[in-house]
Amino acid sequence: MTVPDGVCWDMTDEPSRTRLVTHVRLPLLPWPARLPAPMPASWVGFVLLATFLVWFLAFVAVLSHGHPFWLAPLVAAVPAWLLGRCVAPIARVRLRREAFSVLRWLREEPQAE
């Protein structure tokens, strides 16, 4: 299944508050990665950076407590996943607010001039 370019954010894309994206293309992945929720394109860079920082800090914390090296990336993925779950409701509220504003605009009766 291919994801349309309009809903897929790429690392070279300009930040846009009006464009909603559902997937992201990362350099190391051959397929587009799904975001936790549709979100404005301007948020994606911050969400990816925060996810990487959370993953890296958890990775270092697991290794510093003497756990095996192979276990560290797996355990560190849990906080990164939780961060995505925390951002998803915020993005859904924004999406819902924008959808209701469009519906309200469509329901308004055309004013006679």
Side-chain angles (χ1 to χ4, degrees), residues 10-11 24-30:
D10 198 353
M11 300 294 273
V24 62
R25 284 194 181 94
L26 298 173
L28 299 176
L29 292 178

Side-chain angles (χ1 to χ4, degrees), residues 24-93:
V24 62
R25 284 194 181 94
L26 298 173
L28 299 176
L29 292 178
W31 63 88
R34 186 177 176 275
L35 292 170
M39 61 183 62
S42 60
W43 292 16
V44 176
F46 297 117
V47 170
L48 290 176
L49 180 63
T51 302
F52 176 74
L53 288 175
V54 166
W55 179 86
F56 182 74
L57 292 174
F59 180 80
V60 170
V62 168
L63 284 180
S64 66
H65 282 89
H67 294 287
F69 183 78
W70 63 269
L71 186 64
L74 299 175
V75 172
V78 173
W81 177 80
L82 286 174
L83 178 68
R85 292 291 103 204
C86 292
V87 171
I90 298 168
R92 284 191 193 106
V93 166

Side-chain angles (χ1 to χ4, degrees), residues 18 20 23 34 39 92 95 107 113:
T18 58
L20 292 174
H23 292 74
R34 186 177 176 275
M39 61 183 62
R92 284 191 193 106
L95 179 65
R107 286 183 184 168
E113 294 182 20

